[in-house]
Amino acid sequence: MARLADYFIVVGYDHDKTAGPAEGLGKIIQRFPQKDWEDTPFPQGIELFCQPGGWQLSKERKQPTFFVVVLTDIDSERHYCSCLTFYEAEINLQGTKETEGEEESGLIAPAEVFAPKSLVLVSRLDYPEIFRACLGLIYTVYVDSLNVSLEALIANLCSCLVPASGGSQKLFSLGAGDRQLIQTPLHDSLPVTGTSVALLFQQLGIQNVLSLFCAVLTENKVLFHSASFQRLSDACRALESLMFPLKYSYPYIPILPAQLLEVLSSPTPFIIGVHSVFRNDIHELLDVIIADLDGGTIKIPECIHLSQLPEPLLHQTQMALSLVLHPDLETADYAFPPPRTALSHTKMLDKEVRAIFLRLFAQLFQGYRSCLQLIRIHAEPVIHFHKAAFLGQRGLIENDFLTKVLNGMAFAGFVSERGPPFRACDLFDELVAFEVERIKADEGNPPKMIKHVRELAEQLFKNENPNPHIAFQKVPRPTEGSHLRVHILPFPRINECRVQELLQEGLARSQGAPPATRGDKKCVVPAGPPVVSIMEKGSTVFNSAQRLEVVRNCIAFIFENKFLETEKTLPAALRALKGKAARHCLTQELGLHVKQNRAILDHQQFDYIVRMMNCALQDCSSSEEYSVAAALLPLTTAFYRKLAPGVSQFAYTCVQDHPIWTNQQFWETTFYSNVQNQVRSLYLTAKEDNHAVHLRQKVGEYIKYQRLTLNTSLFQYLLFKITISR
C-alpha cells in the first residue's frame, strides 16, 4: 500500500520579495503534514513550478487552471506535483487604490488586482485525473462555501492508502459528498498513457513523431513548447512511453520554470517542455530539437545528424501507423469504396499506436537474450550484453542508429532490469519470445497486421482498465462562473493542529487494513528465437550447404595428406570463408581434430591450416562479432609443428597481425565467456552424476577455489595476449 498524497501545500504570492520590476515570487503559506515523511522528503523549490511562467499579478480574475509537474529527486524517484491555481482579490493593493471622498456611500469597490494562489498535491503515484478531482473538490468547498471542514478533507487526503499496482480498485471519499475510484494497472512495468500518445500524433503527425522517437533513443536533446502546460506534460509522457521497454534516464522536466531556463544549455540529453512565451529565447539553442505542439512542426538544427530506424523496419512502422491513424487511406482510390471506416475511440487508438511500437522493439531486439553474458569475477554476478555479437548477427554492424541505441544509458538499464533469467514477465517478454515469427509473416498482409495490432492494443487497454464494470463516481464541481464573483474571501488559513490530529487518526485506522496488492509472479524468462539477420536475403549465398561442404572436404584432405586435392579445393574454401557460417564450420572441424590428438602437423599441413586461419580472421574487427576469433584462440595454441629437436612453432605466431587481438573488449568478453563455460560444465557434470553429496562437494570446492581459478584463467589470457602482441 502507498499513500495517495504525500504532501498538500498552499503556495501564494510573496509581497515582500520580487524577482524583477514586473515579476514577483511565490512562497509556501502552509504545508501538510508539517514534518517530512521518512521515506519521502519534502520537494524543495516547489513554488517555482507552481507558476512556471513567473508569479505575476493580474488585472482580471482568470479561470482556475490545473497541470501536473514532474520532479525527480536524487535517487531518481519521480514525484508528481499536481497544481490547481486560482486568483483571489489582492486586499492590500485594493486599499491603496481608494481615494478620499470617493467611497462616502460606504460601498466596497471591486478589486482591481488579483494574485495567483496554488493548491499543490505531491505524490509518488501517477493518477492525474484523481488528483484533479481531489484538488477541485477542495477548491469547490472553498469557493462555494460548502459546510465541509477543509481540515477534514486535507487529513483524509493525506491519510488515504491505495494499492500501488496489481489491478486492484480502491473506492474512497474525502468526506464532501464525493465518491471516487482508483484503478491500478495490472503490471506496474507497463506505462499508463490514457490518450496522450494519440494526442501527440494528432498534434505533430507521423513523420515528426518518428523523428522525435529516434532522437530520444539516440540521446539527443528534445524540447517541446506550447501555450498549454498540461499539453506539455502529456507530450513528454507520450514520447517517453513510446520508448517502452526502454526507460529514459536523463533529465525529464515536462514543465520548466522561467527561472531555470539556463538548464536548456546543459550538455546532457533531456526531454523538457517550456511555455510558448519563451519561444524567442529557445530558438537560439543550436543543439536542441524543438517541437512546436501548437503549430505541429519540429526544427532539427543543421549540426545534428539524426539517425533513422533501419530498413525495412522504418517503412513497416510508417505503413502500420498510416493504416491505424488513417484507416480510409487503403480504400481512398477505390471506384466503389466500402462504407466509411469508423476511427477507433481515442483511448483504443492510443493503445493501437503503442502496439505498433511494441512490435517494432520486438523485431529490433529479437534474440537479445542469446547475447547476454554472465560475469562471475565479482562478488555479485553481473549481466553483460554482447553488443558486437548482436550487431554482427543482425547484419547491422554499419547501422549507426542501433549502435547508438545499444551504447545508450536506456539500453544499459534495459539489460540490468530484464537480463536476469528469473523475474516477473510482462507483455514485451511474451512478444519478443513467441510473436516475432508472426510479426514477420504479417509484413505483407495488412489485415493480419492490423488484427495483431488490435490484439496487443486490447492487452494494453486491459492493463489500464482491468475491471470493465467501473463503480459510479461523483465529485462535486464548483458553480459555473463562481470564479467571477465580485466578493470572494481569500482562501482561509487551515488549522494545522486539527489537521495533524485527524491525520494521525486516519493513519491509525489504516494500519490494520490488509494489503490489497497482487504482486507479479516471477518465472523463468523465455529465451525466444535466436538472433537472425534483419535482411534475411543478404547472407543466403554464404550459408549454402555446398560451401560448407567445400570447407569440410578441404580440411579432411589436409589431415589425410592429400595435398593434390587440397590444392584444388583450397581456393574455393578460402572464398567460402568470407561467410560467417563457413568460418564457424572451420572452427568446429579444427576442434574435432584437436580432440583426436591430431594437433602435431608437418610443414605443409601447418602452412595450409595457418592460411585458412588467417583468411577467417581477416574480416574480424572491433565491430565484428567475436565468436570466430574466440573459437580460434585455443586452436592457435593447440596446432604446432616441430622445427628442430626441442623447438616447436605454434600457429599463434603466424596469426598475430590481425586487429582483433588489439581489441580490449574482445579479451574481456572471451575471458568472461570462458569462466561461464567452466561454471556451467561444473554444475552440469554434478547434475549428471545425480548424487547430492557429490554436488555439495563440488559446489564447496568451487566456492573455495573460485578466486584462484579465475585469477589463473585471467593470467593465462593476459600472458597469451602479451605473447601475441610481441
Side-chain angles (χ1 to χ4, degrees):
M1 302 289 280
R3 288 187 299 272
L4 176 62
D6 293 318
Y7 297 98
F8 175 80
I9 312 167
V10 181
V11 185
Y13 188 87
D14 191 350
H15 300 287
D16 301 327
K17 299 179 182 179
T18 58
E23 186 176 337
L25 293 174
K27 66 175 180 179
I28 297 176
I29 299 175
Q30 286 185 287
R31 51 161 285 192
F32 304 96
Q34 294 176 302
K35 294 183 179 180
D36 290 6
W37 297 103
E38 293 182 359
D39 56 344
T40 308
F42 184 81
Q44 301 298 321
I46 189 67
E47 57 273 14
L48 293 178
F49 290 87
C50 296
Q51 292 291 311
W55 286 85
Q56 299 175 353
L57 299 176
S58 173
K59 293 185 178 181
E60 60 181 7
R61 195 188 295 268
K62 300 180 181 180
Q63 279 268 10
T65 60
F66 175 85
F67 55 85
V68 179
V69 176
V70 181
L71 303 181
T72 307
D73 61 20
I74 194 173
D75 297 323
S76 299
E77 294 290 336
R78 289 185 180 176
H79 302 267
Y80 300 91
C81 306
S82 304
C83 303
L84 188 147
T85 301
F86 58 93
Y87 286 79
E88 59 184 19
E90 194 57 50
I91 303 298
N92 295 334
L93 294 180
Q94 177 186 344
T96 61
K97 295 289 184 180
E98 295 178 358
T99 58
E100 296 181 1
E102 200 175 30
E103 304 282 343
E104 294 180 358
S105 61
L107 298 177
I108 301 177
E112 298 179 2
V113 179
F114 302 91
K117 180 167 286 187
S118 297
L119 306 180
V120 184
L121 191 153
V122 181
S123 175
R124 290 167 295 174
L125 306 179
D126 187 16
Y127 297 116
E129 294 306 315
I130 292 294
F131 300 150
R132 182 198 298 266
C134 292
L135 291 177
L137 182 62
I138 295 175
Y139 174 77
T140 300
V141 170
Y142 149 68
V143 75
D144 285 344
S145 302
L146 300 183
N147 188 23
V148 178
S149 169
L150 288 175
E151 288 79 3
L153 292 180
I154 296 172
N156 291 337
L157 178 62
C158 294
S159 61
C160 181
L161 300 181
V162 297
S165 62
S168 303
Q169 287 184 335
K170 170 73 173 183
L171 192 64
F172 71 98
S173 172
L174 297 185
D178 60 309
R179 179 184 175 89
Q180 303 186 56
L181 178 70
I182 291 180
Q183 175 64 68
T184 62
L186 281 175
H187 301 282
D188 196 31
S189 60
L190 294 176
V192 177
T193 56
T195 61
S196 60
V197 173
L199 179 61
L200 181 63
F201 275 87
Q202 179 184 343
Q203 292 169 323
L204 296 178
I206 294 175
Q207 188 57 47
N208 286 341
V209 175
L210 283 177
S211 297
L212 294 179
F213 172 74
C214 294
V216 172
L217 287 182
T218 54
E219 299 188 345
N220 286 284
K221 304 176 184 179
V222 175
L223 177 65
F224 292 100
H225 73 83
S226 171
S228 166
F229 290 124
Q230 190 57 38
R231 291 293 175 88
L232 291 174
S233 294
D234 291 340
C236 294
R237 174 198 297 267
L239 184 59
E240 186 188 30
S241 66
L242 291 179
M243 294 178 59
F244 178 82
L246 303 181
K247 292 183 178 180
Y248 196 70
S249 56
Y250 287 105
Y252 175 83
I253 312 174
I255 301 176
L256 183 70
Q259 295 88 340
L260 301 179
L261 286 179
E262 63 271 13
V263 173
L264 298 177
S265 301
S266 168
T268 61
F270 55 68
I271 297 178
I272 292 180
V274 298
H275 198 276
S276 292
V277 296
F278 306 113
R279 65 167 64 90
N280 295 330
D281 299 327
I282 63 179
H283 280 295
E284 300 176 359
L285 301 171
L286 300 178
D287 59 344
V288 179
I289 299 175
I290 301 174
D292 181 2
L293 294 175
D294 305 332
T297 61
I298 67 171
K299 176 186 174 183
I300 304 177
E302 295 181 357
C303 62
I304 294 180
H305 168 67
L306 189 58
S307 304
Q308 296 292 337
L309 287 166
E311 293 289 358
L313 296 183
L314 177 59
H315 174 71
Q316 294 169 6
T317 304
Q318 290 174 333
M319 183 188 68
L321 290 171
S322 297
L323 291 176
V324 168
L325 296 171
H326 310 293
D328 293 339
L329 182 63
E330 191 177 9
T331 61
D333 292 339
Y334 287 4
F336 305 99
R340 186 174 179 84
T341 306
L343 195 67
S344 305
H345 68 85
T346 310
K347 285 190 176 180
M348 188 55 68
L349 183 64
D350 181 277
K351 306 305 175 287
E352 290 177 2
V353 173
R354 285 179 53 194
I356 293 174
F357 283 87
L358 259 180
R359 286 164 49 96
L360 169 63
F361 275 110
Q363 292 176 280
L364 206 59
F365 292 161
Q366 175 191 352
Y368 79 95
R369 299 203 66 82
S370 63
C371 295
L372 295 174
Q373 188 176 47
L374 276 176
I375 300 176
R376 297 183 179 271
I377 64 173
H378 306 290
E380 293 288 337
V382 177
I383 297 177
H384 171 72
F385 184 76
H386 199 332
K387 300 173 186 176
F390 184 78
L391 289 172
Q393 295 177 42
R394 293 291 280 165
L396 296 172
I397 294 175
E398 298 180 356
N399 183 268
D400 58 343
F401 173 81
L402 191 56
T403 301
K404 291 179 180 179
V405 171
L406 298 185
N407 291 330
M409 291 287 292
F411 189 78
F414 172 86
V415 171
S416 62
E417 179 181 351
R418 294 184 176 266
F422 187 75
R423 56 173 173 79
C425 295
D426 56 22
L427 182 58
F428 173 77
D429 296 306
E430 299 174 3
L431 193 65
V432 76
F434 306 117
E435 300 288 339
V436 174
E437 294 301 326
R438 178 182 177 182
I439 294 174
K440 289 184 178 180
D442 294 346
E443 288 177 3
N445 194 325
K448 288 186 176 180
M449 184 270 295
I450 292 296
K451 180 182 178 182
H452 188 218
V453 166
R454 289 176 177 169
E455 291 175 1
L456 294 176
E458 288 286 348
Q459 297 185 57
L460 292 172
F461 183 80
K462 186 178 179 181
N463 178 69
E464 296 184 17
N465 307 274
N467 298 293
H469 304 291
I470 299 179
F472 172 73
Q473 301 185 66
K474 181 183 70 172
V475 180
R477 295 169 60 93
T479 305
E480 186 175 356
S482 58
H483 68 286
L484 298 175
R485 293 171 185 164
V486 177
H487 303 296
I488 303 179
L489 293 176
F491 191 82
R493 185 166 184 85
I494 307 299
N495 188 332
E496 299 171 349
C497 296
R498 180 60 178 162
V499 171
Q500 188 64 26
E501 292 176 3
L502 295 174
L503 179 60
Q504 293 298 332
E505 293 177 4
L507 292 176
R509 290 193 301 267
S510 302
Q511 287 180 352
T517 57
R518 296 196 297 266
D520 295 333
K521 295 182 179 180
K522 294 184 177 182
C523 61
V524 177
V525 181
V531 183
V532 296
S533 174
I534 197 170
M535 300 294 293
E536 294 184 354
K537 298 181 181 180
S539 58
T540 54
V541 176
F542 295 116
N543 291 337
S544 64
Q546 294 180 354
R547 291 179 179 269
L548 299 183
E549 190 64 27
V550 168
V551 174
R552 294 190 183 97
N553 291 337
C554 184
I555 295 175
F557 292 151
I558 292 174
F559 283 93
E560 292 172 4
N561 292 322
K562 297 179 179 180
F563 299 130
L564 182 60
E565 287 81 356
T566 301
E567 289 291 341
K568 294 179 181 180
T569 57
L570 184 61
L574 296 180
R575 287 194 299 270
L577 289 175
K578 296 292 184 181
K580 188 187 307 179
R583 295 198 294 269
H584 282 287
C585 177
L586 171 68
T587 60
Q588 293 172 0
E589 291 296 319
L590 293 181
L592 292 177
H593 286 84
V594 171
K595 292 181 179 179
Q596 297 171 6
N597 295 323
R598 303 176 67 180
I600 305 177
L601 308 176
D602 59 31
H603 295 293
Q604 202 162 1
Q605 287 177 325
F606 185 85
D607 292 337
Y608 287 137
I609 294 299
V610 167
R611 189 174 176 184
M612 297 187 75
M613 286 184 175
N614 279 318
C615 184
L617 288 170
Q618 67 182 2
D619 293 328
C620 293
S621 63
S622 59
S623 60
E624 177 74 8
E625 57 150 331
Y626 303 144
S627 55
V628 174
L632 284 176
L633 186 60
L635 299 177
T636 59
T637 60
F639 289 105
Y640 68 97
R641 63 180 174 181
K642 293 185 176 181
L643 300 178
V647 180
S648 300
Q649 181 184 18
F650 286 86
Y652 69 79
T653 60
C654 302
V655 297
Q656 60 186 359
D657 295 331
H658 296 280
I660 188 66
W661 309 125
T662 62
N663 187 351
Q664 180 67 26
Q665 186 178 359
F666 163 76
W667 292 101
E668 294 177 359
T669 303
T670 306
F671 171 66
Y672 297 147
S673 178
N674 182 61
V675 173
Q676 176 66 10
N677 290 335
Q678 291 183 12
V679 173
R680 287 191 57 178
S681 63
L682 173 69
Y683 281 96
L684 290 177
T685 303
K687 184 177 181 180
E688 292 171 0
D689 292 343
N690 196 21
H691 196 275
V693 177
H694 184 60
L695 174 61
R696 289 194 297 269
Q697 181 181 359
K698 299 204 76 173
V699 171
E701 292 175 356
Y702 169 71
I703 295 175
K704 183 177 180 181
Y705 297 107
Q706 181 185 29
R707 187 177 301 275
L708 177 62
T709 304
L710 296 181
N711 290 339
T712 304
S713 300
L714 180 59
F715 175 76
Q716 292 173 350
Y717 274 105
L718 294 178
L719 181 62
F720 181 80
K721 181 182 176 183
I722 295 172
T723 306
I724 288 283
S725 62
R726 289 178 179 176

